Amino acid sequence: MIGVFDSGAGGLTVLTALRRELPSADFLYYGDIKNAPYGLRTHAELSRLTLDNVSFLLERGATSIVSACNSASATLALSLLDTFSLTSQQMIEMVGPTVTAFKGYKGTIALAATVATIDSGVYQSAFHMIGKEIEAIAIPALGGAIETGKSAEEIEAIIIETFAARTQPFDVLVLACTHYPLVLDIFKKVLPGVMIFDPSDAVAERARKLFWPKEVANGSTRFVISQDSEPFRKRVHDLFGGSDYTIEVS
Ligand code: DGL
């Protein structure tokens, strides 16, 4: 079973792509809504929450893990694998597959993410390693606004305000917070002519390479959330309504 975690609904964008790539895998998705938004938390808090989330998924029987949260992924240390006796073939995070997708890319890159992700410097370093300097843009209020189901107008206002002062042009904007692709259309509307990159497919492709065929099972989908949330239930219904799933609050 593949365990997937995020602070809330953001990882659903990754789960959608994972489901497509690995239709016969069993998925257990954990959304830590009680502690959201992760993007405003300190490095120490995120490390602890990440440990808790991985422990929870393993206790529930996960044999592979996807950290579908960039803010958590930005704090992951290799020692985490040792802590849980996992191998590097059993865990996927967001940064590696996202940056790898840009190897050889010639255009200019901007990256939007939470404060925690931008302040960690992880994306800046990883892009530097493939010879690319990026413009890193933190959008402090956006993750929480999406999680709590704020209106399209409010979301658009946050995005407009973020980009209004920017004069430096860029060819592509990487959405390095898994909540942001949930409002992909609004990004496209505010930034016409800019390619908007959702890393979900790159992460799911990595998952297929690592987890198939060992994760072939019954194709089930279960959700566990740490606090009940109507916006979360609605998003799950919108994205997975055509299939069988269960939602548990724990
Ligand atoms: N979806 C998460 C990320 O990718 C966290 C958003 C939040 O809870 O602030 O960073």
Side-chain angles (χ1 to χ4, degrees), residues 225-247:
I225 42 181
S226 58
Q227 180 180 294
D228 209 353
S229 154
E230 230 8 86
F232 181 89
R233 287 181 182 271
K234 182 173 181 319
R235 286 198 193 283
V236 171
H237 180 265
D238 291 348
L239 291 167
F240 302 96
S243 59
D244 281 342
Y245 63 80
T246 58
I247 300 182

Side-chain angles (χ1 to χ4, degrees), residues 6-8 10-11 36-40 68-72 114 117 143-144 176-179:
D6 179 49
S7 62
Y38 275 16
L40 298 175
C69 174
N70 289 272
S71 307
T114 65
T117 298
C177 169
T178 52
H179 280 70

